[in-house]
């Protein structure tokens, strides 16, 4: 999770949990797995995903963006692109549905931020979101 990132298409990163399972050849050199393993977090099928406690920071970013917009700053000038789950997959079927529900409610609550959610499991979106909401 970070207030700044070197990812050129995002301004901040937010990881509601850490962990995933490789599902395609594109996952062969996964930087997130390398990052997690260096910190002692196990990776792969059946391994527990690790929940983070960073919602407070996301809410702070939202308040700051809202204050700037309220002070007359144009929305497009407010730093607000948040890459979600750079160390996980937000549609991972091994993540408890309650965690996904919490993420979706946080996104809905933070109206001044633009959340970027990428997945390698697009076929799961309808089933996972239906269960989460």
């Amino acid at each position: 999770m970070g207030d700044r990132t070197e990812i050129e298409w995002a301004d901040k990163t937010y990881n509601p949990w850490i962990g995933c399972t490789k599902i395609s050849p594109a996952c062969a050199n996964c930087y997130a797995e390398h990052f997690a393993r260096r910190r002692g977090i196990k990776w792969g099928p059946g391994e527990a995903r690790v929940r983070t406690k960073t919602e407070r920071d996301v809410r702070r970013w939202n308040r700051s963006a809202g204050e700037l917009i309220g002070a007359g700053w144009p929305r497009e000038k407010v730093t607000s692109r948040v890459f979600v789950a750079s160390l996980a997959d937000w549609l991972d079927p091994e993540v408890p549905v309650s965690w996904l529900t919490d993420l979706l409610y946080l996104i809905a609550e933070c109206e001044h931020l633009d959340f970027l959610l990428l997945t390698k499991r697009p076929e799961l979106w309808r089933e996972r979101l239906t269960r989460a909401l």
Side-chain angles (χ1 to χ4, degrees):
M1 202 276 316
D3 284 342
R4 280 171 270 172
T5 180
E6 292 184 24
I7 300 170
E8 65 187 49
W9 42 265
D11 301 307
K12 302 171 185 311
T13 58
Y14 167 58
N15 288 289
W17 54 83
I18 299 171
C20 197
T21 297
K22 291 180 180 184
I23 62 166
S24 79
C27 300
N29 297 309
C30 178
Y31 77 90
E33 178 185 22
H34 178 71
F35 175 90
R37 288 189 187 271
R38 282 194 339 232
R39 285 155 182 77
I41 298 171
K42 294 183 180 178
W43 200 266
E47 295 295 346
R49 303 324 188 218
V50 177
R51 186 92 186 251
T52 65
K53 299 184 184 292
T54 56
E55 295 91 356
R56 178 181 61 241
D57 292 322
V58 176
R59 287 185 178 100
R60 178 176 47 83
W61 300 338
N62 185 62
R63 278 191 309 277
S64 295
E67 289 168 4
L68 289 174
I69 293 167
W73 281 64
R75 175 153 172 68
E76 61 273 6
K77 301 247 184 207
V78 177
T79 303
S80 60
R81 293 170 301 169
V82 181
F83 177 24
V84 176
S86 64
L87 301 176
D89 188 322
W90 71 279
L91 290 178
D92 182 348
E94 294 191 49
V95 169
V97 171
S98 64
W99 294 9
L100 179 56
T101 300
D102 291 346
L103 171 61
L104 296 173
Y105 277 107
L106 179 66
I107 289 170
E109 174 187 332
C110 295
E111 64 184 346
H112 302 298
L113 301 175
D114 295 328
F115 291 90
L116 309 171
L117 293 101
L118 305 178
T119 184
K120 289 189 176 159
R121 297 171 171 87
E123 71 282 0
L124 298 181
W125 78 267
R126 184 182 311 269
E127 183 269 331
R128 292 292 289 167
L129 271 62
T130 299
R131 288 184 59 210
L133 298 175

